[in-house]
Amino acid sequence: MKVNPVENMTIFVLDQVPRDIQMHVAKKLMNYSNIYAEQVGFIEKVSLHKEEEDKGLRLQMMGGEFCGNAARSLAALLVHNQYPNVIKEKDKYLVRLEVSGNDTMIDCEVYNTEKDNLYLSKVDMPLPKKISEVSLEVENNVFSGIKVDFSGITHFIVDSGKVKDKDLLFKAVKSEMDKVNYDAFGIMYYDFNEKYLEPLVYVKGTDSLFWERSCASGTSALGVALTYIKKHSIDEKVRQPGGELQVMTKWNGSSIESLCLNGFVEIVAEGIVNV
C-alpha cells in the first residue's frame, strides 16, 4: 500500500518480511526506479504487548525508528480497509497500534472526509524523554538549537534563518549522534516568523537522508520546543513543503502532559511490487 500523509510518502508492506532483510527490501522500494517513497513500514503482529495481540497490529519501520506520520497513516488505512478491530465511536474511529521505536501502545483517532480515500488522522504522540539546549561547533561555526529526544528518534530544532551552511550542520549533528546509539535523527529547520518547517531526516539502518515533505515526529519536536520556550500549551498549524500538520501540547506549569498531532492521510495505491 502507498499512502500520502501530507506528502511524507509512505509504503506499507503487508507480507511478513523477516526483520533481517527489511532494510534491503525498503531500500529497493524507496528507489526512484521502483515505487519511490520517503519511508517504508512493515505490518506485523503485535509482539511487545501480548494482551493486545488479538486486537491490534505492529508497525515496524524500516530502520526500527518511530514515525508518527506512518502511525497516523496505518490507522487511516485500517479504517479504509474496514479492519475488524477498529472501534467506531460516534463520528470517529479509534485505533491502537504497536509501533517500533516506542515501548507503549499508540492511540489514534480517524475521521472520514468527503472523499472516500482521504481521512483526518490524529495520533497521541509519545512524550519526549529529554529536552535540552545544544550548541555544536564545527570549523569555527557555532550552531545552536533545542534537542528533543524521543524513543526511536532525536530531533534538533534550529532557526533556519541563522544557518548558512546546512551541509556543515548535518555533518556536525551526525558526528555528535555517532557518539551514541541511535535509530534516526532529524534537523528541523524552522522559520519562526513564517511558521514554516523544512524537515531533514536521517535513518541510520538504511543510511537514508531525505528532505521530507512533512515530518510528524519533527513537528511534534517543534511543538515541544515551542512549549519549552513559551512555557504554555500550544495549538499550532505548522506549514511544511507537503502541507500542514497541527501540533497540540498541554503544559501543566512545569512539564508537558500531552502531545498530539493531526493531519490528512490519503490512500494512494494498492498492489504487488516485484523486488
Side-chain angles (χ1 to χ4, degrees):
M1 304 287 299
K2 187 172 184 178
V3 296
N4 169 19
V6 195
E7 295 190 4
N8 182 202
M9 302 308 292
T10 303
I11 297 166
F12 290 130
V13 177
L14 307 184
D15 288 327
Q16 298 302 292
V17 178
R19 291 268 180 97
D20 59 350
I21 64 168
Q22 283 183 357
M23 287 188 294
H24 304 292
V25 172
K27 283 183 177 180
K28 289 189 176 184
L29 295 180
M30 290 164 63
N31 196 287
Y32 188 76
S33 63
N34 205 285
I35 300 182
Y36 190 56
E38 294 179 350
Q39 58 190 6
V40 178
F42 297 85
I43 312 307
E44 301 178 348
K45 293 181 180 179
V46 169
S47 58
L48 297 181
H49 304 81
K50 294 299 182 182
E51 71 280 3
E52 303 278 352
E53 195 170 12
D54 296 329
K55 303 175 186 176
L57 292 172
R58 177 178 175 84
L59 170 60
Q60 181 68 25
M61 294 303 294
M62 60 188 188
E65 77 277 15
F66 177 80
C67 178
N69 262 340
R72 291 191 316 108
S73 297
L74 179 55
L77 181 60
L78 294 177
V79 171
H80 183 75
N81 284 346
Q82 300 179 344
Y83 184 66
N85 291 328
V86 169
I87 298 171
K88 180 75 161 64
E89 188 178 280
K90 294 182 180 179
D91 64 336
K92 63 186 176 184
Y93 299 88
L94 305 179
V95 183
R96 281 174 67 80
L97 297 171
E98 187 177 272
V99 184
S100 58
N102 189 63
D103 55 9
T104 60
M105 295 295 288
I106 297 295
D107 292 310
C108 303
E109 293 180 3
V110 180
Y111 298 82
N112 289 314
T113 71
E114 292 180 355
K115 292 180 65 177
D116 290 341
N117 67 324
L118 185 69
Y119 298 87
L120 190 61
S121 187
K122 176 182 174 184
V123 59
D124 286 331
M125 296 290 287
L127 296 177
K129 289 189 166 184
K130 187 178 178 182
I131 309 165
S132 56
E133 296 179 27
V134 293
S135 287
L136 299 174
E137 185 174 352
V138 57
E139 296 182 14
N140 298 318
N141 289 276
V142 177
F143 301 103
S144 298
I146 295 177
K147 180 182 177 185
V148 181
D149 290 298
F150 289 110
S151 293
I153 193 164
T154 295
H155 286 293
F156 294 80
I157 312 298
V158 297
D159 187 337
S160 59
K162 295 181 179 178
V163 180
K164 294 181 180 178
D165 192 330
K166 293 179 179 178
D167 289 336
L168 197 61
L169 177 55
F170 171 75
K171 290 175 183 176
V173 171
K174 188 172 186 302
S175 176
E176 187 71 16
M177 291 297 295
D178 283 344
K179 297 175 185 176
V180 297
N181 184 35
Y182 70 95
D183 295 317
F185 71 81
I187 304 175
M188 300 294 110
Y189 292 96
Y190 187 59
D191 186 320
F192 284 80
N193 294 321
E194 299 294 329
K195 295 185 179 180
Y196 185 75
L197 180 68
E198 293 180 286
L200 180 65
V201 176
Y202 176 76
V203 177
K204 186 178 181 181
T206 50
D207 190 29
S208 57
L209 179 67
F210 272 102
W211 283 102
E212 295 193 343
R213 299 286 294 169
S214 75
C215 179
S217 62
T219 305
S220 300
L222 173 63
V224 167
L226 294 175
T227 303
Y228 175 81
I229 293 167
K230 298 177 179 181
K231 297 293 187 289
H232 62 68
S233 304
I234 67 160
D235 184 344
E236 296 269 358
K237 289 185 177 179
V238 182
R239 293 190 304 112
Q240 298 168 58
E244 269 187 359
L245 281 172
Q246 180 184 18
V247 61
M248 296 152 282
T249 66
K250 193 172 185 180
W251 175 258
N252 65 11
S254 59
S255 62
I256 296 173
E257 281 187 348
S258 66
L259 174 61
C260 297
L261 202 77
N262 199 14
F264 289 108
V265 174
E266 181 187 17
I267 312 301
V268 176
E270 178 180 12
I272 297 170
V273 60
N274 297 311
V275 177

